[in-house]
């Protein structure tokens, strides 16, 4: 199952394609910012019944020409992935006739180190193809803990929060990001809601996610549209299911439907707190009667 944090690490580039050029500077690679961007189909399936999908695929048009940006969110080392990545790039180049670039985004340092290795494909006598992905990991994106810096580049700050979610500096990043979002005008509520959702997804089931929900409830209480509330509820439901799965608590289909169908972020937050120590879903829902507010 694809996790919410997985989605956030590549969807942020869909939200702001120019983020790639700014983030790549931290890798010592200079890409010109795009003057236009076309989001392409991520389906790289051939006519045979073999499905292959890249996470995000963008056509980046710059003053120096065009290139394809394939973004992969990688949670852990996977021996078969380099072969898949080589296929993605080869297929995309053959299909679009535009030079491709592979960006792998990893929230784990060990995975980032693994993904950054150059992979040579071919016999030892002759390398026919070399795979050289660009990799963004926690050590490649700075800790953005200044509200002013966060306001100057909110998408990069969202990425910084997602990649440093387990680091000591995560709290400072989230506080800076919350202040930056609070500075947006009321006309930017849809933009703020998108970044709120991406941040919550990117934090996954971590302690930083709990702080973020608290900040959203307090510092961004003015973003209380129905859409924003729904997005918060969806994110909390996903986190709750991830936590229960991680702790090995069995979740029936009926319980899953109850969690997903609950539209009250406060109730879901209570269930999440219960789930930190619960050994069954009955214990998760133990305070349901007291709250009396779980009707989605």
């Amino acid at each position: 199952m694809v996790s919410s944090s997985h989605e956030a690490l590549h969807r942020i580039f869909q939200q702001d394609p120019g983020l790639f050029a700014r983030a790549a500077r931290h890798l010592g690679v200079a890409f010109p910012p795009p003057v236009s961007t076309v989001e392409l189909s991520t389906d790289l399936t051939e006519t045979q019944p073999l499905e292959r999908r890249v996470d995000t695929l963008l056509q980046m048009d710059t003053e120096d020409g065009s290139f394809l940006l394939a973004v992969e969110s990688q949670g852990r080392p996977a021996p078969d992935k380099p072969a898949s990545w080589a296929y993605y790039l080869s297929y995309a180049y053959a299909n679009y006739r535009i030079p491709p670039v592979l960006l792998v985004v990893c929230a784990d340092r060990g995975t980032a180190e693994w993904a950054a290795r150059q992979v040579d494909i071919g016999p030892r006598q002759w390398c026919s193809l070399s795979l050289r992905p660009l990799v963004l990991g926690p050590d490649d994106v700075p800790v953005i803990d200044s509200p002013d810096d966060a306001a100057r580049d909110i998408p990069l700050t969202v990425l910084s929060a997602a990649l440093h979610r387990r680091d000591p500096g995560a709290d400072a990043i989230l506080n800076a990001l919350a202040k930056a979002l609070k500075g947006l005008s009321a006309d930017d509520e849809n933009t703020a809601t998108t970044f709120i959702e991406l941040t919550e997804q990117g934090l996954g089931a971590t302690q930083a996610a709990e702080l973020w929900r608290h900040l959203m409830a307090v510092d961004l209480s003015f973003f209380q549209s129905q859409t924003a509330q729904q997005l918060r509820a969806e994110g909390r439901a996903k986190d709750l299911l991830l936590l229960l799965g991680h702790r090995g608590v069995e979740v029936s289909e009926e319980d899953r439907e109850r969690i997903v169908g609950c539209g009250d972020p406060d109730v879901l937050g209570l269930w999440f707190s219960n789930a930190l120590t619960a050994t069954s879903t009955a214990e998760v829902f133990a305070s349901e009667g007291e709250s009396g507010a779980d009707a989605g």
Side-chain angles (χ1 to χ4, degrees), residues 210-230:
E210 282 298 300
L211 171 63
W212 183 244
R213 294 186 189 98
H214 174 75
L215 291 172
M216 294 306 93
V218 177
D219 289 351
L220 295 182
S221 57
F222 54 89
F223 285 121
Q224 292 295 328
S225 69
Q226 184 176 357
T227 301
Q229 290 281 24
Q230 181 180 353

Side-chain angles (χ1 to χ4, degrees), residues 8 12 15 154 158 174 177-178 181-182 184 188-203 212-213 215-217 219-225 227-229 231-232 235:
I12 186 66
Q15 180 66 27
I154 289 177
V158 173
L174 295 178
L177 178 57
L181 289 171
K182 192 172 182 178
L184 295 176
D188 293 322
E189 180 173 346
N190 288 337
T191 299
T193 298
T194 297
F195 289 129
I196 289 170
E197 177 196 10
L198 284 171
T199 301
E200 183 156 349
Q201 288 182 343
L203 296 175
W212 183 244
R213 294 186 189 98
L215 291 172
M216 294 306 93
D219 289 351
L220 295 182
S221 57
F222 54 89
F223 285 121
Q224 292 295 328
S225 69
T227 301
Q229 290 281 24
L231 289 172
R232 291 190 185 99

Side-chain angles (χ1 to χ4, degrees), residues 32-51:
V35 294
S36 66
T37 303
V38 178
E39 189 169 341
L40 305 174
S41 171
T42 61
D43 190 347
L44 305 183
T45 308
E46 293 182 324
T47 55
Q48 296 98 338
L50 178 63
E51 186 176 288

Side-chain angles (χ1 to χ4, degrees), residues 77-221:
D80 295 337
K81 265 298 182 178
S84 297
W85 292 338
Y87 171 88
Y88 297 161
L89 297 181
S90 298
Y91 178 92
Y93 183 61
N95 191 49
Y96 295 104
R97 298 295 177 180
I98 300 174
V101 174
L102 172 64
L103 175 68
V104 183
V105 189
C106 310
D108 174 74
R109 287 179 171 81
T111 303
E113 183 179 356
W114 164 83
R117 297 177 304 170
Q118 176 174 317
V119 177
D120 295 327
I121 301 174
R124 63 178 180 81
Q125 296 89 345
W126 189 265
C127 173
S128 299
L129 181 66
S130 289
L131 178 70
R132 298 177 59 210
L134 285 172
V135 177
L136 284 173
D139 294 332
D140 303 305
V141 174
V143 171
I144 301 177
D145 53 10
S146 159
D148 291 338
D149 290 342
R152 278 191 285 270
D153 199 333
I154 289 177
L156 184 62
T157 309
V158 173
L159 182 62
S160 177
L163 294 183
H164 293 283
R165 61 194 181 196
R166 294 186 178 89
D167 292 349
D171 290 3
I173 299 172
L174 295 178
N175 278 289
L177 178 57
K179 289 182 174 62
L181 289 171
K182 192 172 182 178
L184 295 176
S185 67
D187 294 337
D188 293 322
E189 180 173 346
N190 288 337
T191 299
T193 298
T194 297
F195 289 129
I196 289 170
E197 177 196 10
L198 284 171
T199 301
E200 183 156 349
Q201 288 182 343
L203 296 175
T206 62
Q207 290 184 346
E210 282 298 300
L211 171 63
W212 183 244
R213 294 186 189 98
H214 174 75
L215 291 172
M216 294 306 93
V218 177
D219 289 351
L220 295 182
S221 57

Side-chain angles (χ1 to χ4, degrees), residues 5 42-43 64 66 74 96 115 144 159 176 215 228 236 238 255 258 285 293:
S5 58
T42 61
D43 190 347
D64 291 342
S66 301
Q74 192 66 26
Y96 295 104
I144 301 177
L159 182 62
L215 291 172
R236 291 191 177 187
K238 291 176 182 177
D255 290 338
R258 171 178 289 178
F285 302 134

